[in-house]
């Protein structure tokens, strides 16, 4: 037997050198059980909140805000023109990327399943795939115990209240995790396809283009793997395809940007956070602004923690760590300069590698206190979202 056949390559063997031999079903049982317990608790909060707010039932509560637009896009698609009111572009489904609506529509084709039920099935399915992939990823890096903590941190983080609503985050997370795992194993085609699907889910998915470009540049520079260019080439397929579709259907090259800016008032403003801070200081009691500021603080702490956790030697782990940090910085940066949404908890949740590092680093009492405090924040955010319109998810 040749020595090449006997020695596993660095990229194929577990990065956590002392990883214990795990149960064949450990990657499934713990993540799904943790997700089920936390989502059932969140559902109980929603049920109680609907009794508090008159005229709102469980279905309306779970399809509030963007959820109603995703359902509308799933049922009716996207307009063949840019909707106008009094000469100005108005709100429409054009602002919502097709990934989630098309997934909902696919399930709704099954006889007897309503669009709302289809949305719930899609949300739960991609939540399960998200926590399972987080477990697999964390276990490969740090071992099973750290993987369990990483899943818990993700499920109880305040921004995870979005898992109880119809939003695109679970689908985006699944695509992003699949892409990052494929990049680590140098499966460039799979990474490109996963990234292409991710960029069809939300504009935030553009961070996957950056991750693929970085991985390809390193692969070419260190190992002359020219085939790696397929990943960054395929990565923007989702967003490019959607914008081309809108151009063809509406006849307007700027259909999406015009709808975002004029219909929804959304645009990139670098000084957004300073403006938010100024308003919060002069207008006390504005929950939405305070939540954004709190989210910013949490993001800064988590980024710092990940920077401190950087491997000391450049190897496959360092390369992958850089990709995860890049994903986190891009998604947080996009939220930071958004003049409407800002860096609220669900966007900090999108930087899931930071939460995984937090689960790895904290143990014992510190981990228990973090989990309890995080879940309390999740309950408060969910309660406030359902019972009032003072907090935008």
């Amino acid at each position: 037997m040749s020595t090449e056949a006997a020695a596993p390559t660095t990229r194929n063997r577990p990065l956590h050198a002392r990883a214990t031999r795990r149960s064949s079903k450990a990657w499934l049982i713990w993540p799904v059980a943790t997700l089920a317990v936390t989502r059932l608790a969140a559902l109980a909060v929603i049920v109680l909140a609907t009794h508090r707010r008159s005229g709102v039932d469980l279905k309306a509560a779970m399809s509030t805000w963007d959820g109603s637009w995703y359902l509308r896009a799933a049922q009716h698609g996207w307009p063949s023109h840019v909707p106008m009111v009094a000469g100005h572009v108005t709100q429409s489904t054009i602002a919502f990327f097709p990934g989630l609506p098309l997934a909902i529509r696919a399930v709704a084709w099954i006889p007897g399943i309503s669009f709302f039920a289809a949305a719930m099935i899609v949300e739960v399915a991609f939540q399960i795939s998200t926590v399972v992939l987080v477990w697999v990823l964390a276990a490969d890096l740090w071992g099973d115990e750290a993987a369990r903590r990483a899943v818990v941190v993700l499920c109880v983080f305040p921004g995870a209240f979005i898992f109880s609503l119809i939003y695109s985050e679970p689908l985006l997370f699944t695509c992003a995790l699949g892409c990052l795992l494929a990049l680590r194993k140098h499966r460039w085609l799979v990474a490109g396809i996963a990234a292409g699907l991710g960029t069809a889910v939300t504009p935030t998915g553009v961070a996957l283009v950056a991750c693929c470009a970085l991985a390809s540049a390193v692969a070419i520079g260190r190992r002359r793997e020219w085939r790696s260019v397929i990943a960054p080439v395929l990565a923007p397929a989702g967003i490019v395809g959607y914008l081309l579709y809108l151009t063809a259907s509406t006849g307007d090259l700027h259909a999406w940007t015009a709808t975002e800016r004029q219909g929804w008032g959304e645009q990139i403003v670098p000084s957004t956070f300073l403006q938010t801070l100024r308003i919060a200081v002069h207008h006390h009691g504005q929950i939405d602004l305070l939540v954004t500021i709190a989210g910013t603080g949490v993001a800064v702490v988590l980024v710092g923690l990940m920077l401190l956790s950087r491997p000391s030697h450049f190897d496959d782990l360092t390369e992958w760590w850089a990709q995860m940090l890049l994903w986190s910085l891009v998604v947080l940066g996009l939220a930071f300069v958004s003049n409407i949404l800002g860096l609220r908890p669900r966007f900090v949740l999108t930087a899931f590698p930071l939460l995984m590092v937090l689960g790895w680093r904290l143990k014992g009492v510190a981990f228990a206190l973090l989990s309890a405090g995080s879940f309390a924040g999740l309950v408060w955010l969910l309660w406030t979202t359902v019972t009032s319109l003072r907090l935008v998810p």
Side-chain angles (χ1 to χ4, degrees):
M1 180 183 295
S2 67
T3 56
E4 290 184 355
T9 62
T10 301
R11 75 185 188 199
N12 291 327
R13 66 172 179 261
L15 295 175
H16 184 264
R18 296 173 303 206
T20 57
R21 187 176 182 178
R22 62 185 64 126
S23 167
S24 60
K25 295 183 179 180
W27 58 270
L28 179 63
I29 296 175
W30 179 266
V32 174
T34 303
L35 178 68
V37 170
T38 53
R39 291 315 101 204
L40 287 174
L43 181 61
V45 174
I46 296 178
V47 171
L48 293 174
T50 55
H51 289 296
R52 175 69 179 272
R53 183 181 173 188
S54 61
V56 177
D57 58 13
L58 185 62
K59 179 179 178 180
M62 299 181 75
S63 58
T64 188
W65 295 103
D66 288 0
S68 62
W69 287 99
Y70 282 120
L71 287 175
R72 186 178 302 183
Q75 290 179 273
H76 307 295
W78 294 262
S80 58
H81 63 280
V82 179
M84 309 277 287
V85 173
H88 299 283
V89 177
T90 188
Q91 295 178 348
S92 70
T93 54
I94 287 177
F96 295 86
F97 275 38
L100 179 59
L102 292 180
I104 294 172
R105 183 182 295 181
V107 177
W109 278 344
I110 301 174
I113 297 182
S114 67
F115 278 94
F116 177 77
M120 291 294 98
I121 293 172
V122 169
E123 290 290 325
V124 171
F126 284 112
Q127 287 171 26
I128 291 174
S129 60
T130 292
V131 295
V132 167
L133 288 173
V134 165
W135 195 97
V136 170
L137 186 138
D140 199 30
L141 287 170
W142 308 304
D144 288 7
E145 289 300 321
R148 295 188 183 98
R149 295 195 300 271
V151 169
V152 171
V153 170
L154 182 79
C155 288
V156 303
F157 186 74
F161 82 100
I162 207 69
F163 286 171
S164 299
L165 309 177
I166 301 175
Y167 269 69
S168 61
E169 271 73 9
L171 176 53
L172 174 65
F173 293 172
T174 297
C175 294
L177 284 160
C179 176
L180 290 171
L181 280 167
L183 289 176
R184 191 187 79 77
K185 297 179 181 296
H186 301 172
R187 295 177 180 174
W188 308 113
L189 179 61
V190 174
I193 293 174
L197 292 173
T199 56
V201 175
T202 170
T204 305
V206 73
L208 292 174
V209 179
C211 293
C212 289
L214 173 63
S216 179
V218 173
I220 293 173
R222 295 183 65 200
R223 298 179 296 274
R224 293 294 184 266
E225 289 189 64
W226 290 101
R227 68 181 185 277
S228 65
V229 298
I230 191 65
V233 167
L234 292 177
I239 188 170
V240 171
Y242 180 54
L243 295 180
L244 288 176
Y245 162 78
L246 288 179
T247 301
S249 63
T250 66
D252 187 347
L253 180 63
H254 306 288
W256 182 77
T257 54
T259 302
E260 280 283 288
R261 291 181 180 179
Q262 300 179 41
W264 297 91
E266 177 63 57
Q267 56 184 322
I268 300 298
V269 180
S271 61
T272 292
F273 179 70
L274 295 178
Q275 296 175 9
T276 300
L277 184 61
R278 189 184 309 113
I279 295 173
V281 170
H282 292 91
H283 299 274
H284 301 289
Q286 293 202 13
I287 294 177
D288 210 38
L289 297 174
L290 296 177
V291 166
T292 300
I293 294 172
T296 302
V298 171
V300 170
V301 171
L302 291 177
V303 170
L305 182 62
M306 190 165 189
L307 289 172
L308 291 174
S309 303
R310 182 177 64 85
S312 56
H313 301 289
F314 194 94
D315 52 17
D316 280 3
L317 176 57
T318 311
E319 181 181 332
W320 201 49
W321 167 90
Q323 295 162 14
M324 294 196 297
L325 181 59
L326 180 61
W327 161 265
S328 302
L329 291 177
V330 173
V331 298
L332 292 177
L334 290 173
F336 191 83
V337 297
S338 168
N339 69 315
I340 295 295
L341 296 174
L343 199 57
R344 57 192 66 242
R346 75 178 172 100
F347 294 118
V348 179
L349 179 74
T350 305
F352 55 82
L354 305 181
L355 302 179
M356 292 171 57
V357 170
L358 192 62
W360 166 50
R361 295 297 294 267
L362 294 184
K363 303 176 183 179
V365 175
F367 172 73
L369 291 175
L370 170 73
S371 300
S374 292
F375 191 71
L378 183 153
V379 169
W380 178 79
L381 286 173
L382 191 56
W383 178 272
T384 305
T385 299
V386 175
T387 58
S388 72
L389 298 176
R390 294 181 296 169
L391 179 62
V392 182

